[in-house]
Amino acid sequence: MKLWRLVRILWVIARFRLDGLVPVERLPASARFVFRLMPLWLFPRGSESRGARLRLALETLGPIYVKFGQMLSTRRDLLPPDIALELKKLQDQVPPFPSELARATVESELGASVETLFAKFDPTPLASASIAQVHAATLHDGAEVVVKIIRPGIDRVMRSDIDLMFTFARLLMLVPEMRRLRPVEVVDDYRASLFDELDLHKEAANTSQLKRNFKHSPLLYVPAIHWSMTRRSVMVQERIYGIPVADVEALREAGVDLRKLAERGVEIFFTQVFRDNFFHADMHPGNIFVSRETPEDPRYIAIDCGIVGSLTREDQDYLARNILAFFHQDYYEVATLHIESGWVGEGTRANEFAAAVRAVCEPLLEKPLKDISFGQALLGLFQTAQRFNMEVQPQLVLLQKTLLNIEGLGRTLYPELDLWHTAKPYLENWMKERAGPRGFWESLKRQAPDLAYRLPELPVLAHQVMRRSEAEERQRRQQSETMGTLQRSLRGFRRRSRQVRAGLLLVAGAVFWQPLWGWASQQHWGVLVASGVGLLLILWR
């Protein structure tokens, strides 16, 4: 199966002539030679543009590759315009599956006919994505909803692709320089997030959590879930009417303040990561809309919460302190934090790593703030850290991807967006609250129930600790006595061994005294001295 899938991938690359995307002139001479030997010229290029060929190839390969294209489509500042424009179509224009299959899935999951469940069900999908598609419907009480339906059989294709990715990851592990990237762990983390999207129960739970986090917030609205009509492969959700965030012309016509909209996107991201520790990790433009109400005070609408992320408190602290250190150009602090967190090798010297970080960041900070890309700075730092054995942190992969998506989206809305200036006040306030009296009080309140529960057990726990300490002390004494006995036995054995060797030499000398005496009387004094030294070495070695 894996071999067949690999053959199919190579076939798709040849069929859509994706070799046209490779800058052959920049490859090493040996790679150029191999590349030109490939018989790709046998396949016609066709009339489609290179961007269209790439989009069609990703659609042909399946959902994992479509997801990759969606991620690329948000980086308009890093892609040629023609390719970015084509990949944008992957966000909600993936070819749909037949409406008959959609109806059958709904009826099978919910246990009733579509006519019984809905007053109206539109067989033409509103949108079609890589893993699911959405149909408009109306409930019998008049509420307008959307019905999200998982593509039938999609799990088999995804398992095949993930198995192939694991194979490539294990091959990379054979290369010592690639082990620090931890490719198997990264693929495993990606697998978990992708397969979470196949369970709409999880997406519904994530949506409800995000809605609670931003309840009554002017920044973000999350549509409600109809839990009674939600199953593993079907989810019914409140229908929203908003402007797609990527439709900049429509936003301008509606009078939306694009600068405020871009800055609010950054604020939403940092609020999710640091205040809530629960962030939407699939924020490509197909999942983000803008409310038509109050355009001068714009509000985002988020859908498709299938992939979410969270960090440990330690990772939150290290990440915030790292970003603030960048803002303050304190590169030694950045180096120290990387070493303390274990993100670089233990033997790394802080001053050397700080010098490398300075070489990456200082040229960026010399530019006007509007020209600085935090995403590019982040990627440059990772590339520089390779020689310090920096390992990929799987728990940060989703966060890095989301941050790049947010920056790309923000610069599309408002090219003058200053991500650093927008984020700095928020992070500084968060750190003050976390480390200040308020943070201490909040931490105390969180731990108070557990402390109150364990307080009556403290005498018992203290007694157990003392008994454990006494037992460990007795064990150490016993180990010390045992080691002493072994050492004495070993010394006695060596002494007896020397005595046995001396006795054997004396017996052998007595038995062979006459022949040896005759032999010795005929030898030069140097031979006799050498023989004597050899006997001493045998006796005392």
Side-chain angles (χ1 to χ4, degrees):
M1 186 65 178
K2 291 180 186 178
L3 180 60
W4 167 247
R5 184 61 175 167
L6 179 60
V7 170
R8 177 170 170 74
I9 291 171
L10 295 175
W11 165 256
V12 170
I13 290 173
R15 174 187 168 191
F16 291 99
R17 291 301 303 272
L18 298 187
D19 58 299
L21 301 174
V22 179
V24 181
E25 66 280 357
R26 299 182 187 176
L27 295 177
S30 56
R32 289 200 302 270
F33 177 74
V34 172
F35 195 85
R36 284 166 178 156
L37 285 179
M38 298 172 67
L40 294 173
W41 55 272
L42 294 174
F43 297 85
R45 285 187 185 270
S47 58
E48 294 92 353
S49 65
R50 59 176 184 171
R53 294 201 306 273
L54 177 59
R55 174 178 59 80
L56 292 170
L58 294 174
E59 288 178 357
T60 304
L61 288 172
I64 290 182
Y65 303 92
V66 170
K67 283 284 180 188
F68 180 69
Q70 289 173 352
M71 181 183 70
L72 285 179
S73 71
T74 64
R75 297 302 292 168
R76 302 289 294 272
D77 55 329
L78 302 180
L79 289 175
D82 60 323
I83 293 179
L85 188 63
E86 282 293 334
L87 293 183
K88 179 182 173 183
K89 297 177 182 178
L90 293 173
Q91 292 162 9
D92 55 5
Q93 296 183 32
V94 180
F97 56 88
S99 59
E100 294 79 10
L101 286 177
R103 289 176 61 96
T105 302
V106 171
E107 293 176 348
S108 172
E109 289 287 310
L110 299 182
S113 68
V114 167
E115 289 74 20
T116 302
L117 295 166
F118 304 101
K120 181 181 178 181
F121 181 86
D122 189 349
T124 304
L126 276 176
S128 181
S130 54
I131 291 179
Q133 69 186 33
V134 175
H135 291 257
T138 305
L139 300 180
H140 290 291
D141 63 2
E144 292 187 87
V145 297
V146 292
V147 185
K148 186 171 184 176
I149 306 163
I150 296 293
R151 285 180 177 268
I154 192 65
D155 56 331
R156 293 193 301 273
V157 178
M158 288 177 64
R159 291 182 196 282
S160 174
D161 285 341
I162 287 292
D163 286 345
L164 190 59
M165 291 176 71
F166 270 117
T167 300
F168 284 132
R170 293 188 185 99
L171 289 174
L172 287 176
M173 288 292 289
L174 299 177
V175 183
E177 293 78 9
M178 301 301 293
R179 290 174 189 165
R180 63 170 190 81
L181 298 178
R182 298 159 71 176
V184 174
E185 291 182 52
V186 171
V187 172
D188 188 58
D189 191 67
Y190 187 44
R191 176 196 59 79
S193 64
L194 279 176
F195 279 99
D196 279 348
E197 289 194 81
L198 295 181
D199 187 351
L200 293 181
H201 263 137
K202 292 183 178 179
E203 179 177 337
N206 294 338
T207 303
S208 296
Q209 177 68 57
L210 191 62
K211 186 175 181 65
R212 281 196 300 274
N213 291 346
F214 284 87
K215 188 176 182 180
H216 307 308
S217 170
L219 300 176
L220 180 67
Y221 180 79
V222 181
I225 298 293
H226 291 262
W227 278 102
S228 62
M229 305 180 74
T230 295
R231 301 292 186 273
R232 181 178 177 84
S233 298
V234 172
M235 182 180 74
V236 178
Q237 187 174 16
E238 170 192 0
R239 185 174 182 180
I240 54 98
Y241 291 91
I243 305 171
V245 73
D247 193 348
V248 179
E249 290 302 319
L251 292 173
R252 287 199 180 99
E253 289 176 6
V256 174
D257 186 335
L258 295 182
R259 174 176 181 174
K260 196 168 187 178
L261 183 66
E263 291 176 348
R264 283 193 164 187
V266 176
E267 185 178 351
I268 288 171
F269 170 75
F270 282 97
T271 300
Q272 291 181 74
V273 172
F274 293 103
R275 187 195 72 181
D276 304 328
N277 194 19
F278 186 86
F279 59 92
H280 192 312
D282 196 18
M283 295 185 72
H284 64 76
N287 292 337
I288 307 296
F289 296 83
V290 179
S291 173
R292 296 179 183 274
E293 303 173 2
T294 62
E296 72 285 350
D297 191 27
R299 190 185 195 189
Y300 283 92
I301 304 172
I303 61 172
D304 194 357
C305 301
I307 302 178
V308 296
S310 61
L311 303 174
T312 65
R313 288 180 64 84
E314 292 77 11
D315 281 337
Q316 273 186 310
D317 285 333
Y318 279 122
L319 187 64
R321 290 166 64 189
N322 262 294
I323 295 174
L324 285 174
F326 274 120
F327 290 154
H328 297 132
Q329 296 174 256
D330 188 349
Y331 305 120
Y332 190 84
E333 175 71 3
V334 173
T336 302
L337 288 169
H338 275 70
I339 295 169
E340 288 178 357
S341 64
W343 294 350
V344 294
E346 293 181 1
T348 302
R349 298 180 62 178
N351 59 336
E352 292 181 0
F353 187 52
V357 174
R358 184 180 299 108
V360 173
C361 298
E362 201 65 27
L364 294 173
L365 294 174
E366 291 296 322
K367 298 179 181 179
L369 287 174
K370 67 183 182 64
D371 296 333
I372 296 172
S373 168
F374 187 81
Q376 290 177 344
L378 191 67
L379 294 174
L381 174 63
F382 290 158
Q383 291 171 358
T384 301
Q386 289 178 5
R387 59 190 178 93
F388 293 93
N389 298 318
M390 182 176 179
E391 295 185 344
V392 170
Q393 303 298 314
Q395 77 274 19
L396 299 180
V397 169
L398 278 179
L399 183 68
Q400 294 162 10
K401 180 187 80 105
T402 305
L403 179 58
L404 292 174
N405 287 353
I406 288 293
E407 186 181 19
L409 176 60
R411 290 183 185 276
T412 300
L413 294 172
Y414 183 67
E416 304 293 310
L417 174 67
D418 177 4
L419 177 65
W420 292 20
H421 179 73
T422 306
K424 182 179 177 181
Y426 182 89
L427 283 174
E428 288 178 336
N429 291 333
W430 182 82
M431 288 297 293
K432 288 177 183 177
E433 291 180 2
R434 183 78 163 235
R438 182 178 176 181
F440 174 77
W441 176 245
E442 293 294 331
S443 178
L444 189 61
K445 285 196 299 185
R446 279 196 307 270
Q447 298 178 28
D450 187 58
L451 290 173
Y453 173 76
R454 295 186 179 277
L455 191 61
E457 301 178 2
L458 286 180
V460 177
L461 292 173
H463 181 64
Q464 290 177 349
V465 169
M466 292 175 63
R467 292 188 60 183
R468 190 177 299 115
S469 178
E470 291 174 357
E472 290 175 354
E473 182 63 28
R474 285 196 301 271
Q475 186 178 9
R476 283 194 294 269
R477 285 199 301 268
Q478 291 173 355
Q479 289 175 347
S480 178
E481 292 172 359
T482 302
M483 289 297 295
T485 302
L486 287 173
Q487 289 174 353
R488 288 192 295 272
S489 299
L490 185 58
R491 285 196 296 268
F493 173 77
R494 289 173 178 168
R495 188 170 54 252
R496 287 192 297 272
S497 177
R498 287 195 296 269
Q499 291 172 352
V500 168
R501 288 199 298 271
L504 289 174
L505 285 171
L506 288 172
V507 171
V511 172
F512 296 102
W513 175 254
Q514 289 296 334
L516 285 172
W517 180 258
W519 172 80
S521 62
Q522 300 175 7
Q523 301 302 319
H524 189 269
W525 65 270
V527 176
L528 297 177
V529 170
S531 300
V533 171
L535 288 172
L536 288 174
L537 291 174
I538 293 171
L539 183 61
W540 298 106
R541 64 175 179 171

